[in-house]
Amino acid sequence: MHLFRSVAVSALVAVAVASPLGVPHSVHEKRSEAATGWARRDVLDRRAILPMKIGLAQSNVDQGWNWLKEVSVPTSSKYGQHWSAKDIAEAFAPSNETVDAAKNWLTMAGISESRIKQSQGLNWLEFDATVDEAEELLKTKYHVYEHEATGQPHVACDEYSIPTHLKEHIDLVYPTVHFDAKIKSRDDGVELEKRDGNFGHGRGPRGPGGGPWGGPGGGWRMPYHHRPTNDLANCDVHITPDCLRALYRFPVNYRANPKNSFGIVEYTPEAYVPSDLDLFFANFSQRSIGERPIFDSIDGGVNQQTNMSFNFNGESDLDLEYSMTLVYPQPVTLYQVGDLVEGASFNNFLDAIDASYCSYDGGDDPTQDAKYPDPYGGYQGPENCGGFAATKLISTSYAYNEADLTPFYEQRQCHEYMKLGMMGVSVLYSSGDYGVAGNGGQCITSPVGAVNATYNNGTSGRFNPSFPGTCPYITSVGATQVKNNTNIVTALATGTQPEEACETVIYSGGGFSNVFPLPEYQANAVHHWFADYPPPYGPDRFNNSQQTRGLPDMSANGANYVIAIDGNFSLVYGTSASTPTTGSILTLINQARLDKGKSSIGFINPVIYAHPEILNDITEGGNQGCGTPGFESAPGWDPVTGLGTPNYPKMLKLWVDELN
Ligand SMILES: *[C@@H]1O[C@H](CO)[C@@H](O)[C@H](O)[C@H]1NC(C)=O
Ligand SMILES: *[C@@H]1O[C@H](CO)[C@@H](O)[C@H](O)[C@H]1NC(C)=O
Ligand SMILES: *[C@@H]1O[C@H](CO)[C@@H](O)[C@H](O)[C@H]1NC(C)=O
Ligand SMILES: *[C@@H]1O[C@H](CO)[C@@H](O)[C@H](O)[C@H]1NC(C)=O
Ligand SMILES: *[C@@H]1O[C@H](CO)[C@@H](O)[C@H](O)[C@H]1NC(C)=O
Ligand SMILES: *[C@@H]1O[C@H](CO)[C@@H](O)[C@H](O)[C@H]1NC(C)=O
Ligand SMILES: *[C@@H]1O[C@H](CO)[C@@H](O)[C@H](O)[C@H]1NC(C)=O
Ligand SMILES: *[C@@H]1O[C@H](CO)[C@@H](O)[C@H](O)[C@H]1NC(C)=O
């Protein structure tokens, strides 16, 4: 957020050297959507010093997908032979030609070589610049933006240029057009049970641009007035751990593999309440009473207990109550990211688990965090760059709209998920709770790629898919529900599918990317769906070219979860619930593979699309949004429930008995 620091006037000696005349420049990045919730204020104070970072194009990126395929396509002879972090850093380091070309540009512009540092991961050039230097270098104008709700300042420009011949060498430059300031929790939705008129206020921006997504919401929640019960006869009205075990046929777990832990990522100030865990465990998992997650504090992450409400505790309580119960006695690792003052984004987390994604000691993406120690009074330790081990599986229930961020930014982050896949890490993200609409139910009103495009209130407009859900190297998880008046035990015994797409309180996020191409592993599934169930919408609603990434990949129950929250039980809804449940089941698969001396399952999409029989196909229900009924579930893959829900026995057989 805070990316400029003032320096004494007298200390300033800025001699801007104009770049050589005649070097053609072209626009490198510009925002396609307005930064909702941010007002542009003054031009930037000339005395500010900008910590510039130039992201160099890594080499071999095109090769990355082939390498990932080798270790994740089930028929590959190298299936499961994942890479080490060191091998990956070296394989993707920028070429010398790239480094030299970028340095040459800077030195020609008067930034002496001694001011330029190259990051440890080799992919960033970093230097401090005066405003004049940065503006001249990038042919742009910096402004201070102010967050309308909180008054937080942010420095940005609307677009910037670099020499045309450097386009292939430079991915992006910070600070420039980026507003990935804060991330919205999937639970920041409309509050259904108002307990307190002040819910959600004072929490700062919810998403990039701090738009009104979710408003003063406290999440997806309904009152629950029953005695908590594990009764399988009522799974259509309340979901408990035993309901999930019955639906997906996985056992109560009794083992742990020392190499295995289930990683859950939360962003401060979201926090779990220890007594809520024990209240939940007392009713649903007595052996877990007193258990807590392994706590990894990243960039000052704290499990704050000052502000208690559904809004602050709903996501963390849900994630931990279910995942800790389902994978017990395997440990759950809680990555708590960001301090109370500045928060954090996905990039902070990625920096902490992979130093090669990081920039330099103390430096990070300046559009989202100050340099730590935080000069604004938050976390006073050094910024985390590496040092945290990635668990074999990582589940996150927060997301952006794909349209919130620039394609450059998203491709770069997506590429990092590809590397995690090469290392054998499965990355799961919730697909969203608004059907074909985006966060807060909003849809896009302007044509693809339009300058200053905007969102509307969701009664019309273009579909608004989520990111990182549209990144082809993560597994996007949608939501299902048990059909009304359905006894799951009877249904399963008679071979009847008891579930359909979730249409209670929330709608499963799904659709097609406007940024990422259709991945190879998904092509057949998507083409079949278009051929057999042609959707009644044209390109005015979504990219119907059949050439872009579809989501979600799979789904799990996301309705009527009984959770303990702030001392009481409540029902909650969303892909926030289906994602940790899916992650728990896959963590049990990892355990079984590791017990056999095999590798983790890693990036699962090539396997699940090649073996859709390991999922229960969901064929009913839709995901309305943007004033439409949305898409419809159908036999096979669909952009509502993906390939379907987990079938643990079949997954186990494939992954443990059949695959290397
Ligand atoms: C690239 O530069 C480094 C450091 O200057 C050098 O050690 C290396 O040999 C160079 N690589 C190639 C392929 O030229
Ligand atoms: C948490 O509560 C404190 C004290 O009531 C308040 O000052 C602060 O703004 C709250 N923090 C957030 C993030 O709402
Ligand atoms: C289960 O939860 C209820 C609250 O609904 C609580 O009163 C009860 O003590 C819990 N059960 C156990 C065994 O702790
Ligand atoms: C887009 O926004 C910029 C900066 O806010 C403004 O200068 C420009 O006029 C806008 N363009 C359109 C077409 O509205
Ligand atoms: C949403 O926007 C449309 C078009 O501007 C308007 O007609 C409608 O009343 C709005 N609906 C809500 C609930 O605000
Ligand atoms: C399912 O049940 C709920 C509440 O019991 C009701 O609101 C909803 O309309 C029912 N849905 C269908 C499709 O019958
Ligand atoms: C849809 O995606 C394809 C493939 O990326 C692209 O060529 C096409 O321009 C997109 N269509 C629209 C309307 O954006
Ligand atoms: C829990 O529920 C009870 C009864 O429904 C209510 O009296 C109490 O205030 C609630 N506790 C909290 C912490 O919300």
Side-chain angles (χ1 to χ4, degrees):
M1 299 298 301
H2 312 286
L3 54 93
F4 57 93
R5 53 175 197 258
S6 299
V7 295
V9 191
S10 57
L12 249 198
V13 189
V15 183
V17 179
S19 43
L21 288 173
V23 177
H25 280 59
S26 48
V27 173
H28 199 49
E29 282 193 277
K30 65 182 172 195
R31 271 197 308 282
S32 65
E33 313 283 338
T36 320
W38 294 88
R40 195 163 91 172
R41 302 293 185 220
D42 303 327
V43 294
L44 184 54
D45 188 328
R46 300 285 103 185
R47 295 166 299 174
I49 296 290
L50 294 166
M52 305 301 296
K53 283 173 58 176
I54 297 186
L56 300 174
Q58 301 186 34
S59 59
N60 294 320
V61 173
D62 296 345
Q63 184 59 26
W65 167 234
N66 288 326
W67 287 332
L68 178 59
K69 267 200 305 199
E70 278 179 353
V71 299
S72 58
V73 167
T75 50
S76 162
S77 61
K78 290 189 176 173
Y79 179 80
Q81 294 176 27
H82 302 132
W83 294 47
S84 72
K86 184 168 170 287
D87 289 345
I88 285 181
E90 287 172 5
F92 291 106
S95 70
N96 287 357
E97 186 199 350
T98 290
V99 177
D100 294 346
K103 277 191 175 164
N104 195 38
W105 169 46
L106 298 178
T107 50
M108 294 289 278
I111 293 149
S112 65
E113 180 122 24
S114 61
R115 290 166 61 189
I116 307 167
K117 281 196 294 181
Q118 190 171 4
S119 68
Q120 206 184 342
L122 307 176
N123 52 339
W124 293 99
L125 291 184
E126 298 151 357
F127 57 97
D128 287 344
T130 65
V131 180
D132 288 336
E133 282 176 330
E135 289 185 347
E136 173 57 26
L137 190 67
L138 301 171
K139 313 286 180 224
T140 190
K141 207 83 197 152
Y142 280 96
H143 282 81
V144 177
Y145 286 75
E146 188 176 287
H147 189 251
E148 282 161 355
T150 63
Q152 278 190 94
H154 176 82
V155 169
C157 56
D158 295 324
E159 63 172 49
Y160 67 94
S161 299
I162 61 171
T164 309
H165 74 276
L166 289 178
K167 261 198 138 30
E168 65 187 274
H169 297 296
I170 290 174
D171 282 346
L172 41 63
V173 181
Y174 289 131
T176 51
V177 301
H178 309 276
F179 271 86
D180 67 324
K182 290 280 168 84
I183 291 162
K184 178 193 172 312
S185 159
R186 279 295 175 203
D187 270 359
D188 283 349
V190 174
E191 183 200 347
L192 295 170
E193 187 196 49
K194 280 217 185 319
R195 296 192 312 180
D196 167 352
N198 289 323
F199 268 2
H201 289 304
R203 196 177 153 185
R206 303 303 175 78
W213 308 320
W220 305 117
R221 153 181 233 211
M222 294 282 247
Y224 176 76
H225 297 305
H226 301 80
R227 231 187 106 67
T229 165
N230 257 322
D231 186 357
L232 291 183
N234 295 315
C235 297
D236 57 335
V237 287
H238 22 91
I239 287 289
T240 63
D242 277 357
C243 290
L244 298 169
R245 290 183 180 117
L247 279 168
Y248 309 129
R249 303 178 196 259
F250 63 103
V252 175
N253 189 46
Y254 288 103
R255 301 172 53 91
N257 185 296
K259 289 185 185 157
N260 205 22
S261 175
F262 178 12
I264 301 269
V265 193
E266 304 288 353
Y267 290 87
T268 312
E270 190 66 40
Y272 79 88
V273 181
S275 56
D276 285 344
L277 299 193
D278 284 338
L279 175 60
F280 184 86
F281 294 151
N283 279 272
F284 297 110
S285 183
Q286 295 214 351
R287 59 194 186 148
S288 310
I289 294 173
E291 292 289 327
R292 300 292 176 258
I294 296 165
F295 189 76
D296 278 359
S297 166
I298 292 173
D299 293 339
V302 287
N303 192 46
Q304 63 85 19
Q305 302 291 301
T306 313
N307 303 60
M308 313 275 281
S309 72
F310 187 77
N311 200 26
F312 286 103
N313 308 127
E315 186 69 58
S316 297
D317 276 356
L318 163 68
D319 291 344
L320 293 170
E321 287 167 14
Y322 275 82
S323 61
M324 290 179 70
T325 295
L326 298 179
V327 307
Y328 185 89
Q330 297 194 82
V332 168
T333 298
L334 169 59
Y335 297 106
Q336 184 76 41
V337 192
D339 72 5
L340 283 166
V341 176
E342 296 180 280
S345 78
F346 299 144
N347 278 351
N348 285 89
F349 170 65
L350 294 170
D351 285 341
I353 59 167
D354 178 7
S356 84
Y357 188 67
C358 221
S359 49
Y360 59 107
D361 187 24
D364 198 353
D365 172 349
T367 66
Q368 71 188 8
D369 282 312
K371 284 182 185 176
Y372 286 117
D374 174 3
Y376 293 85
Y379 174 60
Q380 293 299 309
E383 178 176 328
N384 291 124
C385 176
F388 288 85
T391 52
K392 304 289 182 202
L393 192 142
I394 294 170
S395 170
T396 304
S397 295
Y398 300 68
Y400 300 99
N401 297 323
E402 188 190 61
D404 291 338
L405 302 162
T406 65
F408 264 117
Y409 181 91
E410 290 173 331
Q411 280 151 359
R412 193 179 174 88
Q413 188 175 105
C414 185
H415 182 229
E416 177 64 12
Y417 298 123
M418 183 185 78
K419 291 188 198 169
L420 287 170
M422 288 170 65
M423 287 191 267
V425 175
S426 317
V427 179
L428 268 49
Y429 275 94
S430 51
S431 70
D433 294 346
Y434 298 90
V436 293
N439 285 338
Q442 295 182 318
C443 302
I444 306 167
T445 44
S446 53
V448 183
V451 187
N452 300 357
T454 50
Y455 300 119
N456 64 15
N457 66 11
T459 53
S460 62
R462 283 199 297 126
F463 300 165
N464 194 0
S466 67
F467 179 82
T470 54
C471 164
Y473 305 125
I474 65 100
T475 300
S476 173
V477 183
T480 56
Q481 66 185 14
V482 175
K483 294 173 188 170
N484 268 5
N485 308 316
T486 295
N487 181 317
I488 64 165
V489 180
T490 318
L492 292 169
T494 57
T496 312
Q497 174 50 252
E499 289 197 277
E500 60 194 352
C502 189
E503 298 187 2
T504 307
V505 182
I506 68 104
Y507 297 90
S508 182
F512 295 87
S513 177
N514 293 303
V515 173
F516 293 97
L518 178 65
E520 231 171 286
Y521 61 76
Q522 195 186 38
N524 276 338
V526 165
H527 295 323
H528 274 121
W529 179 77
F530 270 97
D532 297 345
Y533 310 98
Y537 312 114
D540 54 325
R541 290 291 193 173
F542 78 110
N543 189 315
N544 65 350
S545 66
Q546 303 189 37
Q547 285 167 33
T548 65
R549 154 90 161 135
L551 73 156
D553 297 299
M554 59 183 295
S555 52
N557 195 286
N560 301 309
Y561 274 55
V562 178
I563 69 162
I565 166 84
D566 296 342
N568 277 332
F569 282 91
S570 191
L571 294 183
V572 298
Y573 301 79
T575 49
S576 278
S578 54
T579 307
T581 291
T582 302
S584 296
I585 296 167
L586 294 173
T587 294
L588 298 181
I589 302 288
N590 270 339
Q591 173 195 346
R593 276 181 63 87
L594 294 167
D595 282 352
K596 287 243 171 159
K598 295 186 173 185
S599 63
S600 57
I601 52 177
F603 178 51
I604 66 167
N605 294 11
V607 170
I608 63 175
Y609 283 89
H611 290 279
E613 75 279 0
I614 66 172
L615 299 164
N616 308 302
D617 195 3
I618 302 298
T619 59
E620 294 170 57
N623 60 353
Q624 67 176 53
C626 307
T628 76
F631 298 114
E632 286 293 324
S633 289
W637 180 87
D638 53 70
V640 186
T641 55
L643 294 164
T645 63
N647 185 324
Y648 175 81
K650 290 186 178 173
M651 287 180 155
L652 195 67
K653 185 162 174 295
L654 176 68
W655 261 306
V656 176
D657 297 340
E658 293 170 26
L659 293 180
N660 286 334

